[in-house]
């Protein structure tokens, strides 16, 4: 990503964060609609698509015989089973395990039909994506534990609204700041790294798709009362900063400089 794009993304996010510093509670009150179908689907079922992607990534790493494959399989399996047991309220762990098995089967079949050269290229991208996701998510979780901010839908007489820049310390059950869903969705920024490796400009369509997906996830979290605008903005800024840092490392590693980039594809 070129400097103009980086500055534009930072500028937009910081402008929204400044707006949230004044109108955080007002915006959440106006947008709160827990019965909104769009937001409800994203909150409860967006993870299904994510699990399918994660299964495919693990299958590709297996075909490439990468050393991180087993760690990824066990981590993904635990996440899938825990989510079905906790998020969806299902009482049987066997259903989660069965769902995990179906995803892994189709992922292994897709990876099996992939050429070895294509598999190696995918492995390179998957490892970059994993670094971006894990570092961003780790930072967000640490801040959540330290801030313990009350979500909009959790506000009551004992737990009032608190501005984003002040730790609320309401308890570990309160984890509004920052938004983990937004941070994980922001890992889609990894889609840009292939253009960096190939020294070409990022297409407008790809930029709109990635930033649009992040914006829709953030909006859905506000609509459901799970997060404030400030939670979403800070989560994006964390993930975007991690992406910029990792991208700079990739450029130094492969000797890529902006003056050598191609204009277009």
């Amino acid at each position: 990503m070129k400097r103009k794009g980086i500055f534009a993304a930072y500028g937009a996010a910081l402008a929204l964060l400044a707006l949230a510093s004044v109108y955080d509670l007002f915006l959440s009150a106006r947008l709160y609609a827990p019965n909104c179908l769009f937001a409800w689907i994203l909150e409860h079922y967006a993870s299904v698509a994510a699990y399918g992607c994660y299964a495919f990534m693990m299958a590709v790493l297996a075909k490439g015989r990468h050393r991180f494959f087993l760690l990824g399989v066990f981590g993904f399996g635990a996440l899938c089973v825990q989510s079905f047991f906790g998020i969806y309220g299902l009482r049987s762990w066997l259903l989660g395990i069965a769902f995990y098995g179906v995803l892994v089967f189709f992922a292994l079949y897709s990876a099996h039909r992939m050429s070895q050269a294509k598999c190696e290229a995918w492995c390179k991208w998957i490892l970059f994506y994993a670094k971006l996701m894990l570092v961003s998510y780790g930072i967000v979780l640490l801040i959540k534990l330290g801030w313990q901010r009350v979500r909009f839908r959790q506000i009551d007489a004992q737990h009032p609204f608190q501005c984003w820049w002040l730790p609320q310390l309401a308890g570990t059950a309160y984890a509004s700041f920052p938004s983990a869903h937004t941070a994980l969705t922001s890992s889609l920024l990894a889609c840009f790294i292939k253009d960096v490796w190939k020294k070409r400009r990022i297409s407008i369509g790809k930029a709109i798709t990635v930033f649009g997906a992040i914006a829709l996830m953030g909006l859905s979290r506000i609509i459901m009362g799970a997060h404030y605008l400030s939670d979403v903005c800070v989560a994006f800024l964390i993930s975007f900063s991690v992406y910029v840092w990792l991208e700079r490392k990739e450029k130094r590693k492969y000797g890529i400089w902006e003056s050598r980039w191609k204009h277009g594809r």
Side-chain angles (χ1 to χ4, degrees):
M1 183 177 293
K2 289 197 172 184
R3 292 187 182 92
K4 290 181 180 179
I6 293 173
F7 291 149
Y10 271 125
L14 290 173
L16 288 174
L17 183 59
L19 179 69
S21 299
V22 180
Y23 297 106
D24 226 356
L25 185 59
F26 172 78
L27 289 172
S28 291
R30 292 299 298 269
L31 293 174
Y32 184 53
N35 296 323
C36 176
L37 182 61
F38 150 74
W40 187 87
I41 289 175
L42 282 184
E43 181 172 51
H44 291 84
Y45 292 104
S47 56
V48 174
Y51 292 158
C53 294
Y54 294 156
F56 174 74
M57 292 178 188
M58 294 308 106
V60 172
L61 291 177
K63 183 179 176 65
R65 298 180 180 179
H66 200 278
R67 61 183 181 275
F68 291 121
F69 162 66
L70 289 178
L71 178 63
V73 167
F74 287 121
F76 168 69
L79 177 66
C80 191
V81 173
Q82 183 273 335
S83 294
F84 261 78
F85 182 77
I87 297 176
Y88 299 109
L90 300 178
R91 299 302 178 184
S92 174
W93 287 66
L94 293 177
L95 185 57
I97 295 173
F99 178 74
Y100 170 63
V102 171
L103 286 180
V104 170
F105 171 78
F106 283 106
L108 288 172
Y109 176 76
S110 300
H112 176 71
R113 296 176 59 86
M114 186 183 297
S115 66
Q116 193 63 34
K118 192 173 183 180
C119 177
E120 292 176 358
W122 267 102
C123 283
K124 180 181 177 183
W125 180 84
I126 288 170
L127 293 177
F128 180 89
Y129 173 87
K131 287 188 287 186
L132 172 59
M133 180 183 66
L134 292 175
V135 174
S136 303
Y137 190 57
I139 294 173
V140 166
L141 286 183
L142 288 175
I143 298 176
K144 277 180 176 288
L145 291 174
W147 246 249
Q148 299 174 13
R149 188 186 191 190
V150 175
R151 302 179 189 272
F152 178 79
R153 62 191 180 194
Q154 295 174 320
I155 290 178
D156 55 29
Q158 288 75 32
H159 304 96
F161 168 78
Q162 178 67 286
C163 296
W164 68 268
W165 60 84
L166 296 174
Q168 192 164 5
L169 303 177
T172 55
Y174 303 95
S176 177
F177 181 83
S179 168
H181 279 74
T182 304
L184 290 175
T185 308
S186 297
S187 298
L188 290 174
L189 292 166
C191 295
F192 297 150
I193 197 62
K194 286 188 175 182
D195 297 294
V196 174
W197 287 332
K198 295 181 179 180
K199 305 174 188 176
R200 67 188 183 194
R201 286 184 173 178
I202 298 169
S203 67
I204 296 177
K206 181 183 288 187
I208 292 175
T209 301
V210 170
F211 286 112
I214 298 170
L216 286 176
M217 176 57 74
L219 177 61
S220 73
R221 303 305 288 157
I222 298 172
I223 292 175
M224 293 299 293
H227 292 288
Y228 302 95
L229 177 60
S230 55
D231 301 336
V232 171
C233 291
V234 171
F236 170 77
L237 286 169
I238 291 171
S239 295
F240 188 71
S241 298
V242 173
Y243 170 78
V244 171
W245 171 62
L246 291 174
E247 182 192 88
R248 293 307 184 205
K249 289 186 65 177
E250 292 293 306
K251 286 184 176 180
R252 287 195 295 268
K253 181 178 179 180
Y254 295 104
I256 299 172
W257 309 105
E258 290 188 3
S259 59
R260 295 169 54 190
W261 283 26
K262 297 176 181 177
H263 296 279
R265 295 186 179 275

